[in-house]
Structures are given as C-alpha cells and as structure tokens.
Amino acid sequence: MRWDSLFEDLEAQFSAERTLARESEISERVRVELAGLDLADRLRGVAGAELALVLGSGISLRGTLGHIGGDWFVLNDNGRQWLIPCASVSHYDGLGRLARKPVSQVQSSISLASALRGLSRDRAPVTVVLAAGPAGDHRLHGVIDRVGRDHFDFADTRGEVRRGGAVAAVRTIPFTSLAALCSSGNQGL
C-alpha cells in the first residue's frame, strides 16, 4: 500500500510539471505571435465593427471600420468616409484583441500615397484635417492635385468646384501633417 501512494504521488508531480511546462510554452508562443502583429493586423481583426478613436489633434471620431490599407484605414461615419493614417491616431477605444493577417500581399501594400493618388485621379472633393493648423482651424476644403512619396499638393477651393478662379491656394502637405481626410459633401466635423 505504501508503494502505491509513493507512485501515485510521483505520477501527480510528473503530471503537474508537464502541465506547467506546456502552459509556459503556450504563453511564450503567444508572446512571440503578439510581437509579430502590427496595428493594421489588429484593425483587420475588427473590420466591419464599430470603433471609436481620437486623433492626435484631439478630434474624436466614431464609425464602422471599413477598408484597411498598409498604413491607413477608412472609417464610415453616417454617410461620411474618413481616410485616416494610422500614425495620426492618438488612441482607439474598442479595438479588441482579435487580429488578422492580410488576405493578400496587395491588401497590405496599398500605401497612403496610393490611396491619395486614387482620390487625386478621381478629382474627388475632400476635406483635409491637419494635425495642427492656424488659430485652431484644422480643415481645408478642396481637391488633391498631385501626390508624391511623402507629401501631396492640395488645391484649397474653400468648398467650391475646382476651377482656376476658385482656388484660394495650393498647399503642399507632408503626410506627417495629415490627421484625416473626409469625403466631401459632408464637410462638417
């Protein structure tokens, strides 16, 4: 009888050690996997869900998360569409823990410059929200004229149709100064 107790005790210790080693290995694998995730992966994990965020400029936005590019995403907010560079967001609320890698290499390689070139090609009227602006006014209304690697030229039309006489100024805006870009027609913030 004494031997039975001894062997049962040894088996229990061995089982506990194996369980602890397995849990430790799982924890380490989770840490390694999390280290390989980027913000776009986390955003893809909640695509189609409601998301709240605050831009670095202090503007709060809430909407449904739409398309996610490599370094930007689209937020749909009551008929408005916001193109937002990931770097311009101060923080997210409701991001959750899910993550998803891109479906294709193309999805993650569409850069902010590529998205802006599409808007420029379509001559789409937009509202540009700058990370900082004079006297607290962070909005410009107009059309994207040209897009470079790290900047774009913006024809400020003050909400008018893009014509030579309607252009108040052409401004060159570095991507680092862009907080968000909103589809026109709903230019209010």
Side-chain angles (χ1 to χ4, degrees):
M1 288 300 204
R2 211 172 103 141
W3 290 91
D4 290 337
S5 294
L6 176 66
F7 292 135
E8 286 173 5
D9 188 45
L10 286 174
E11 286 176 11
Q13 287 178 16
F14 181 69
S15 178
E17 287 176 10
R18 282 187 21 197
T19 300
L20 185 61
R22 191 174 327 132
E23 288 174 358
S24 178
E25 181 182 349
I26 290 170
S27 294
E28 183 61 25
R29 286 183 183 194
V30 167
R31 279 192 288 276
V32 168
E33 186 175 323
L34 285 174
L37 294 177
D38 59 20
L39 183 58
D41 296 335
R42 298 275 309 276
L43 290 169
R44 276 188 288 279
V46 294
E50 178 91 2
L51 185 67
L53 59 90
V54 177
L55 299 175
S57 61
I59 297 171
S60 296
L61 298 172
R62 175 178 296 276
T64 304
L65 186 57
H67 191 83
I68 297 125
D71 54 353
W72 58 274
F73 60 93
V74 172
L75 191 69
N76 298 303
D77 168 33
N78 295 325
R80 291 183 284 200
Q81 289 191 302
W82 293 88
L83 185 138
I84 303 171
C86 292
S88 73
V89 177
S90 168
H91 66 274
Y92 300 86
D93 291 325
L95 192 55
R97 292 180 170 258
L98 295 176
R100 185 169 289 135
K101 290 291 186 183
V103 175
S104 70
Q105 187 69 14
V106 173
Q107 183 183 24
S108 63
S109 67
I110 299 174
S111 67
L112 178 61
S114 299
L116 293 175
R117 282 188 192 99
L119 293 170
S120 173
R121 184 177 45 251
D122 292 346
R123 307 300 287 167
V126 295
T127 299
V128 169
V129 180
L130 298 175
D137 187 14
H138 305 299
R139 294 171 285 161
L140 303 172
H141 307 290
V143 175
I144 298 172
D145 277 344
R146 300 182 316 163
V147 180
R149 187 176 55 124
D150 60 355
H151 68 282
F152 62 99
D153 289 344
F154 185 75
D156 186 350
T157 63
R158 311 242 190 254
E160 300 294 321
V161 175
R162 169 71 162 106
R163 287 189 214 115
V167 175
V170 175
R171 295 187 167 92
T172 301
I173 301 172
F175 288 171
T176 55
S177 295
L178 178 64
L181 196 138
C182 184
S183 59
S184 200
N186 294 308
Q187 295 180 3
L189 291 176

mmCIF file of all heavy atoms in Angstrom, residues 51-80:
data_model
loop_
_atom_site.group_PDB
_atom_site.id
_atom_site.type_symbol
_atom_site.label_atom_id
_atom_site.label_comp_id
_atom_site.label_asym_id
_atom_site.label_seq_id
_atom_site.Cartn_x
_atom_site.Cartn_y
_atom_site.Cartn_z
ATOM 1 N N LEU A 51 -16.071 51.395 -34.097
ATOM 2 C CA LEU A 51 -14.796 51.748 -33.488
ATOM 3 C C LEU A 51 -14.822 53.226 -33.134
ATOM 4 O O LEU A 51 -15.346 54.041 -33.891
ATOM 5 C CB LEU A 51 -13.663 51.462 -34.479
ATOM 6 C CG LEU A 51 -12.236 51.637 -34.022
ATOM 7 C CD1 LEU A 51 -11.889 50.604 -32.958
ATOM 8 C CD2 LEU A 51 -11.289 51.492 -35.199
ATOM 9 N N ALA A 52 -14.290 53.575 -31.996
ATOM 10 C CA ALA A 52 -14.133 54.971 -31.596
ATOM 11 C C ALA A 52 -12.644 55.256 -31.501
ATOM 12 O O ALA A 52 -11.857 54.394 -31.123
ATOM 13 C CB ALA A 52 -14.808 55.225 -30.256
ATOM 14 N N LEU A 53 -12.272 56.473 -31.878
ATOM 15 C CA LEU A 53 -10.864 56.852 -31.821
ATOM 16 C C LEU A 53 -10.730 58.337 -31.606
ATOM 17 O O LEU A 53 -11.675 59.102 -31.798
ATOM 18 C CB LEU A 53 -10.143 56.421 -33.104
ATOM 19 C CG LEU A 53 -10.655 56.979 -34.433
ATOM 20 C CD1 LEU A 53 -9.961 58.278 -34.798
ATOM 21 C CD2 LEU A 53 -10.447 55.959 -35.513
ATOM 22 N N VAL A 54 -9.559 58.735 -31.186
ATOM 23 C CA VAL A 54 -9.228 60.139 -31.020
ATOM 24 C C VAL A 54 -7.969 60.403 -31.830
ATOM 25 O O VAL A 54 -6.971 59.689 -31.683
ATOM 26 C CB VAL A 54 -9.014 60.511 -29.532
ATOM 27 C CG1 VAL A 54 -8.590 61.961 -29.389
ATOM 28 C CG2 VAL A 54 -10.275 60.226 -28.726
ATOM 29 N N LEU A 55 -8.043 61.421 -32.691
ATOM 30 C CA LEU A 55 -6.875 61.801 -33.477
ATOM 31 C C LEU A 55 -5.895 62.565 -32.594
ATOM 32 O O LEU A 55 -6.274 63.105 -31.548
ATOM 33 C CB LEU A 55 -7.303 62.678 -34.656
ATOM 34 C CG LEU A 55 -8.256 62.040 -35.658
ATOM 35 C CD1 LEU A 55 -8.687 63.062 -36.709
ATOM 36 C CD2 LEU A 55 -7.626 60.835 -36.315
ATOM 37 N N GLY A 56 -4.666 62.642 -33.025
ATOM 38 C CA GLY A 56 -3.656 63.391 -32.284
ATOM 39 C C GLY A 56 -4.036 64.851 -32.111
ATOM 40 O O GLY A 56 -3.629 65.502 -31.154
ATOM 41 N N SER A 57 -4.867 65.385 -33.020
ATOM 42 C CA SER A 57 -5.316 66.771 -32.943
ATOM 43 C C SER A 57 -6.440 66.955 -31.927
ATOM 44 O O SER A 57 -6.886 68.066 -31.699
ATOM 45 C CB SER A 57 -5.786 67.239 -34.323
ATOM 46 O OG SER A 57 -6.873 66.437 -34.762
ATOM 47 N N GLY A 58 -6.932 65.840 -31.340
ATOM 48 C CA GLY A 58 -7.984 65.930 -30.332
ATOM 49 C C GLY A 58 -9.386 65.661 -30.862
ATOM 50 O O GLY A 58 -10.335 65.602 -30.092
ATOM 51 N N ILE A 59 -9.541 65.505 -32.154
ATOM 52 C CA ILE A 59 -10.857 65.240 -32.744
ATOM 53 C C ILE A 59 -11.253 63.800 -32.476
ATOM 54 O O ILE A 59 -10.488 62.879 -32.735
ATOM 55 C CB ILE A 59 -10.834 65.516 -34.265
ATOM 56 C CG1 ILE A 59 -10.545 66.986 -34.523
ATOM 57 C CG2 ILE A 59 -12.143 65.096 -34.920
ATOM 58 C CD1 ILE A 59 -10.282 67.318 -35.986
ATOM 59 N N SER A 60 -12.460 63.603 -31.935
ATOM 60 C CA SER A 60 -12.989 62.262 -31.675
ATOM 61 C C SER A 60 -13.864 61.827 -32.838
ATOM 62 O O SER A 60 -14.684 62.607 -33.328
ATOM 63 C CB SER A 60 -13.833 62.259 -30.405
ATOM 64 O OG SER A 60 -13.045 62.561 -29.292
ATOM 65 N N LEU A 61 -13.689 60.593 -33.273
ATOM 66 C CA LEU A 61 -14.494 60.026 -34.353
ATOM 67 C C LEU A 61 -15.025 58.668 -33.925
ATOM 68 O O LEU A 61 -14.398 57.961 -33.154
ATOM 69 C CB LEU A 61 -13.652 59.862 -35.623
ATOM 70 C CG LEU A 61 -13.079 61.128 -36.246
ATOM 71 C CD1 LEU A 61 -12.122 60.777 -37.378
ATOM 72 C CD2 LEU A 61 -14.194 62.019 -36.748
ATOM 73 N N ARG A 62 -16.183 58.308 -34.450
ATOM 74 C CA ARG A 62 -16.789 57.004 -34.192
ATOM 75 C C ARG A 62 -17.437 56.561 -35.494
ATOM 76 O O ARG A 62 -18.067 57.347 -36.189
ATOM 77 C CB ARG A 62 -17.838 57.109 -33.103
ATOM 78 C CG ARG A 62 -18.592 55.817 -32.850
ATOM 79 C CD ARG A 62 -19.598 55.948 -31.738
ATOM 80 N NE ARG A 62 -18.982 56.224 -30.458
ATOM 81 C CZ ARG A 62 -18.479 55.292 -29.645
ATOM 82 N NH1 ARG A 62 -18.522 54.035 -29.991
ATOM 83 N NH2 ARG A 62 -17.946 55.617 -28.497
ATOM 84 N N GLY A 63 -17.255 55.296 -35.822
ATOM 85 C CA GLY A 63 -17.863 54.773 -37.028
ATOM 86 C C GLY A 63 -17.539 53.311 -37.226
ATOM 87 O O GLY A 63 -16.953 52.658 -36.353
ATOM 88 N N THR A 64 -17.926 52.823 -38.398
ATOM 89 C CA THR A 64 -17.689 51.426 -38.752
ATOM 90 C C THR A 64 -16.381 51.329 -39.516
ATOM 91 O O THR A 64 -16.175 52.073 -40.479
ATOM 92 C CB THR A 64 -18.851 50.895 -39.619
ATOM 93 O OG1 THR A 64 -20.066 51.092 -38.906
ATOM 94 C CG2 THR A 64 -18.669 49.430 -39.921
ATOM 95 N N LEU A 65 -15.536 50.426 -39.097
ATOM 96 C CA LEU A 65 -14.242 50.263 -39.729
ATOM 97 C C LEU A 65 -14.414 49.612 -41.094
ATOM 98 O O LEU A 65 -14.994 48.538 -41.208
ATOM 99 C CB LEU A 65 -13.339 49.418 -38.829
ATOM 100 C CG LEU A 65 -11.891 49.256 -39.243
ATOM 101 C CD1 LEU A 65 -11.210 50.609 -39.388
ATOM 102 C CD2 LEU A 65 -11.161 48.409 -38.231
ATOM 103 N N GLY A 66 -13.947 50.292 -42.130
ATOM 104 C CA GLY A 66 -14.055 49.792 -43.495
ATOM 105 C C GLY A 66 -12.742 49.215 -43.987
ATOM 106 O O GLY A 66 -12.097 48.435 -43.298
ATOM 107 N N HIS A 67 -12.314 49.649 -45.144
ATOM 108 C CA HIS A 67 -11.107 49.127 -45.778
ATOM 109 C C HIS A 67 -9.872 49.467 -44.947
ATOM 110 O O HIS A 67 -9.769 50.545 -44.378
ATOM 111 C CB HIS A 67 -10.969 49.712 -47.184
ATOM 112 C CG HIS A 67 -9.914 49.047 -47.985
ATOM 113 N ND1 HIS A 67 -10.120 47.888 -48.674
ATOM 114 C CD2 HIS A 67 -8.611 49.359 -48.171
ATOM 115 C CE1 HIS A 67 -9.010 47.520 -49.266
ATOM 116 N NE2 HIS A 67 -8.068 48.408 -48.963
ATOM 117 N N ILE A 68 -8.913 48.536 -44.917
ATOM 118 C CA ILE A 68 -7.669 48.745 -44.181
ATOM 119 C C ILE A 68 -6.513 48.548 -45.140
ATOM 120 O O ILE A 68 -6.364 47.486 -45.739
ATOM 121 C CB ILE A 68 -7.550 47.765 -42.997
ATOM 122 C CG1 ILE A 68 -8.682 48.017 -42.003
ATOM 123 C CG2 ILE A 68 -6.215 47.936 -42.290
ATOM 124 C CD1 ILE A 68 -9.494 46.828 -41.711
ATOM 125 N N GLY A 69 -5.707 49.592 -45.314
ATOM 126 C CA GLY A 69 -4.515 49.500 -46.154
ATOM 127 C C GLY A 69 -3.306 49.183 -45.300
ATOM 128 O O GLY A 69 -3.416 48.729 -44.164
ATOM 129 N N GLY A 70 -2.144 49.446 -45.838
ATOM 130 C CA GLY A 70 -0.913 49.153 -45.115
ATOM 131 C C GLY A 70 -0.667 50.074 -43.937
ATOM 132 O O GLY A 70 -0.247 49.635 -42.871
ATOM 133 N N ASP A 71 -0.948 51.360 -44.103
ATOM 134 C CA ASP A 71 -0.685 52.326 -43.039
ATOM 135 C C ASP A 71 -1.840 53.310 -42.863
ATOM 136 O O ASP A 71 -1.672 54.406 -42.363
ATOM 137 C CB ASP A 71 0.617 53.081 -43.319
ATOM 138 C CG ASP A 71 0.643 53.744 -44.696
ATOM 139 O OD1 ASP A 71 -0.292 53.526 -45.499
ATOM 140 O OD2 ASP A 71 1.605 54.479 -44.982
ATOM 141 N N TRP A 72 -3.019 52.923 -43.296
ATOM 142 C CA TRP A 72 -4.208 53.769 -43.221
ATOM 143 C C TRP A 72 -5.453 52.881 -43.182
ATOM 144 O O TRP A 72 -5.380 51.683 -43.411
ATOM 145 C CB TRP A 72 -4.271 54.713 -44.424
ATOM 146 C CG TRP A 72 -4.269 53.968 -45.735
ATOM 147 C CD1 TRP A 72 -3.178 53.536 -46.434
ATOM 148 C CD2 TRP A 72 -5.401 53.518 -46.474
ATOM 149 N NE1 TRP A 72 -3.572 52.844 -47.559
ATOM 150 C CE2 TRP A 72 -4.937 52.825 -47.615
ATOM 151 C CE3 TRP A 72 -6.775 53.632 -46.282
ATOM 152 C CZ2 TRP A 72 -5.782 52.255 -48.542
ATOM 153 C CZ3 TRP A 72 -7.628 53.063 -47.230
ATOM 154 C CH2 TRP A 72 -7.123 52.399 -48.345
ATOM 155 N N PHE A 73 -6.590 53.499 -42.887
ATOM 156 C CA PHE A 73 -7.860 52.774 -42.895
ATOM 157 C C PHE A 73 -8.990 53.753 -43.182
ATOM 158 O O PHE A 73 -8.795 54.972 -43.155
ATOM 159 C CB PHE A 73 -8.101 52.041 -41.570
ATOM 160 C CG PHE A 73 -8.148 52.947 -40.369
ATOM 161 C CD1 PHE A 73 -9.355 53.451 -39.912
ATOM 162 C CD2 PHE A 73 -6.992 53.276 -39.691
ATOM 163 C CE1 PHE A 73 -9.404 54.290 -38.811
ATOM 164 C CE2 PHE A 73 -7.028 54.102 -38.593
ATOM 165 C CZ PHE A 73 -8.236 54.614 -38.149
ATOM 166 N N VAL A 74 -10.170 53.211 -43.477
ATOM 167 C CA VAL A 74 -11.360 54.022 -43.735
ATOM 168 C C VAL A 74 -12.345 53.788 -42.600
ATOM 169 O O VAL A 74 -12.609 52.647 -42.215
ATOM 170 C CB VAL A 74 -12.006 53.664 -45.090
ATOM 171 C CG1 VAL A 74 -13.335 54.377 -45.262
ATOM 172 C CG2 VAL A 74 -11.063 54.017 -46.233
ATOM 173 N N LEU A 75 -12.877 54.888 -42.069
ATOM 174 C CA LEU A 75 -13.908 54.836 -41.045
ATOM 175 C C LEU A 75 -15.177 55.421 -41.644
ATOM 176 O O LEU A 75 -15.175 56.545 -42.155
ATOM 177 C CB LEU A 75 -13.470 55.645 -39.819
ATOM 178 C CG LEU A 75 -14.292 55.493 -38.555
ATOM 179 C CD1 LEU A 75 -14.104 54.092 -37.973
ATOM 180 C CD2 LEU A 75 -13.889 56.531 -37.523
ATOM 181 N N ASN A 76 -16.278 54.654 -41.642
ATOM 182 C CA ASN A 76 -17.564 55.097 -42.184
ATOM 183 C C ASN A 76 -18.406 55.647 -41.049
ATOM 184 O O ASN A 76 -18.690 54.948 -40.082
ATOM 185 C CB ASN A 76 -18.282 53.931 -42.869
ATOM 186 C CG ASN A 76 -17.487 53.393 -44.032
ATOM 187 O OD1 ASN A 76 -17.148 54.111 -44.951
ATOM 188 N ND2 ASN A 76 -17.151 52.118 -43.970
ATOM 189 N N ASP A 77 -18.800 56.918 -41.197
ATOM 190 C CA ASP A 77 -19.494 57.623 -40.126
ATOM 191 C C ASP A 77 -20.709 58.364 -40.692
ATOM 192 O O ASP A 77 -20.563 59.440 -41.264
ATOM 193 C CB ASP A 77 -18.509 58.601 -39.466
ATOM 194 C CG ASP A 77 -19.158 59.587 -38.531
ATOM 195 O OD1 ASP A 77 -20.158 59.240 -37.893
ATOM 196 O OD2 ASP A 77 -18.640 60.724 -38.439
ATOM 197 N N ASN A 78 -21.893 57.775 -40.597
ATOM 198 C CA ASN A 78 -23.144 58.431 -41.023
ATOM 199 C C ASN A 78 -23.057 59.062 -42.406
ATOM 200 O O ASN A 78 -23.333 60.246 -42.588
ATOM 201 C CB ASN A 78 -23.568 59.487 -40.002
ATOM 202 C CG ASN A 78 -23.914 58.882 -38.670
ATOM 203 O OD1 ASN A 78 -24.462 57.786 -38.613
ATOM 204 N ND2 ASN A 78 -23.583 59.574 -37.600
ATOM 205 N N GLY A 79 -22.662 58.305 -43.386
ATOM 206 C CA GLY A 79 -22.581 58.806 -44.755
ATOM 207 C C GLY A 79 -21.253 59.432 -45.117
ATOM 208 O O GLY A 79 -20.971 59.645 -46.286
ATOM 209 N N ARG A 80 -20.452 59.763 -44.132
ATOM 210 C CA ARG A 80 -19.110 60.297 -44.400
ATOM 211 C C ARG A 80 -18.127 59.150 -44.388
ATOM 212 O O ARG A 80 -18.298 58.175 -43.661
ATOM 213 C CB ARG A 80 -18.677 61.298 -43.331
ATOM 214 C CG ARG A 80 -19.439 62.576 -43.348
ATOM 215 C CD ARG A 80 -18.892 63.501 -42.307
ATOM 216 N NE ARG A 80 -19.359 63.055 -40.998
ATOM 217 C CZ ARG A 80 -19.395 63.820 -39.928
ATOM 218 N NH1 ARG A 80 -18.965 65.053 -39.972
ATOM 219 N NH2 ARG A 80 -19.841 63.351 -38.777
#
